[in-house]
Amino acid sequence: MKNDLLTIGGFTIHGYGLMIGIGIIAAYWAADYRSKRYHLDPDHLFWILIWGVGCGLLGAKLLYYITIWREILADPRKLLDIAGGFVVYGGIIGGIAAGYVYCRVRKIDFLRYLDLVVPSVALAQGFGRIGCFLAGCCYGVACDGPFSVTFTNSDYAPNGVALFPSQLVSSGLDFLHFFLLCFLARRNDRPGRIGAFYLLFYSIGRFCIEFFRGDLERGQVGGLSTSQFISLFTAAAGLVFLILLSRKKEPGRPASEGEK
């Protein structure tokens, strides 16, 4: 629970940034390894990663700005704080949109690459939540139990208060999500289905874990947190996508340009 892990001269290694970096590397390695099994071009995978990460970060930041629009109106200088404040759903939307545009431009099968990438997204999220734990952000509600955690030097979580370890629980669920999607992918015969499962499973898990989050300043819509409200739509999108795919006949298809 210490975000500043190491300082050398004027350079500091932050736990949050380190975990994000490890997550991106692990996600790419896993997708690259799995691309051979599914006969997909790793060169396309590399550029999908680059565009997906870039647009994902942009989307996460933009959605964060939307959630604090009242604060921005009161103090526009908050727009200059680009280091902190991201919303995961914005990253998911931005990353998927970037991947779709890339696949359309390169004329390759978007659904097959989506199925390849989404388990790695869950893997990266698992490492990212460990980074949240080190930084103290995304903290849980007050919870005086055997598994509670107490921060003593956090810029985000209340210090000296026993809290539910929402970051670690989220991380564990994300890693479980990764292995579950990989398991389902080995038995999948319908492109797009793994992407739909990702949206459905993540939305359900996120909706539930939000009940144990203590950082309610992120915003609410009625009695739901902003993320719970978005989860209703992403879960519905995943479910509708699964239903449409189950009704769609799978015709014989020649290998696309992006496949080996």
Side-chain angles (χ1 to χ4, degrees):
M1 294 128 69
K2 181 177 174 57
N3 194 37
D4 296 345
L5 300 180
L6 179 66
T7 299
I8 303 176
F11 179 75
T12 301
I13 297 177
H14 299 288
Y16 183 80
L18 178 63
M19 287 298 109
I20 292 294
I22 291 175
I24 292 173
I25 293 172
Y28 178 70
W29 177 84
D32 182 66
Y33 176 81
R34 295 176 60 249
S35 68
K36 301 174 179 62
R37 170 183 291 273
Y38 301 107
H39 309 291
L40 295 174
D41 191 338
D43 290 337
H44 286 308
L45 174 63
F46 174 79
W47 288 108
I48 289 173
L49 171 73
I50 296 298
W51 285 103
V53 169
C55 293
L57 289 173
L58 179 61
K61 193 65 181 179
L62 289 176
L63 188 53
Y64 172 72
Y65 284 150
I66 292 173
T67 64
I68 63 167
W69 65 271
R70 288 188 178 89
E71 297 178 34
I72 292 174
L73 288 178
D75 183 9
R77 289 176 299 178
K78 287 186 176 292
L79 291 171
L80 301 178
D81 180 18
I82 61 174
F86 296 91
V87 177
V88 171
Y89 272 121
I92 293 172
I93 295 170
I96 291 178
Y100 176 78
V101 171
Y102 177 87
C103 290
R104 290 280 295 185
V105 171
R106 299 305 300 267
K107 295 181 173 58
I108 57 178
D109 193 332
F110 167 69
L111 293 181
R112 298 192 71 204
Y113 278 93
L114 177 68
D115 286 349
L116 172 66
V117 168
V118 289
S120 289
V121 174
L123 179 63
Q125 288 175 316
F127 285 103
R129 287 305 182 190
I130 295 176
C132 291
F133 179 71
L134 293 175
C137 61
C138 308
Y139 55 88
V141 296
C143 174
D144 188 13
F147 300 106
S148 62
V149 297
T150 302
F151 293 88
T152 58
N153 189 31
S154 173
D155 294 330
Y156 303 99
N159 293 301
V161 179
L163 303 172
F164 178 78
S166 57
Q167 310 97 325
L168 297 182
V169 173
S170 295
S171 177
L173 290 175
D174 286 328
F175 289 135
L176 178 62
H177 195 191
F178 165 71
F179 288 111
L180 176 59
L181 291 176
C182 287
F183 173 79
L184 293 173
R186 298 179 73 136
R187 291 156 177 77
N188 180 49
D189 59 355
R190 192 66 58 90
R193 186 176 287 169
I194 304 305
F197 276 131
Y198 169 83
L199 287 176
L200 182 61
F201 294 157
Y202 178 77
S203 299
I204 293 173
R206 184 61 186 269
F207 188 91
C208 294
I209 199 68
E210 283 289 305
F211 287 112
F212 302 93
R213 290 276 292 269
D215 50 342
L216 295 180
E217 66 274 8
R218 292 172 296 121
Q220 289 184 285
V221 180
L224 301 176
S225 71
T226 302
S227 292
Q228 284 179 318
F229 182 72
I230 297 174
S231 293
L232 296 177
F233 294 95
T234 52
L239 183 59
V240 169
F241 199 16
L242 281 174
I243 293 173
L244 292 177
L245 288 171
S246 67
R247 293 178 177 177
K248 180 181 178 181
K249 293 183 180 180
E250 182 72 7
R253 176 185 54 80
S256 69
E257 179 184 316
E259 300 166 19
K260 287 186 175 181

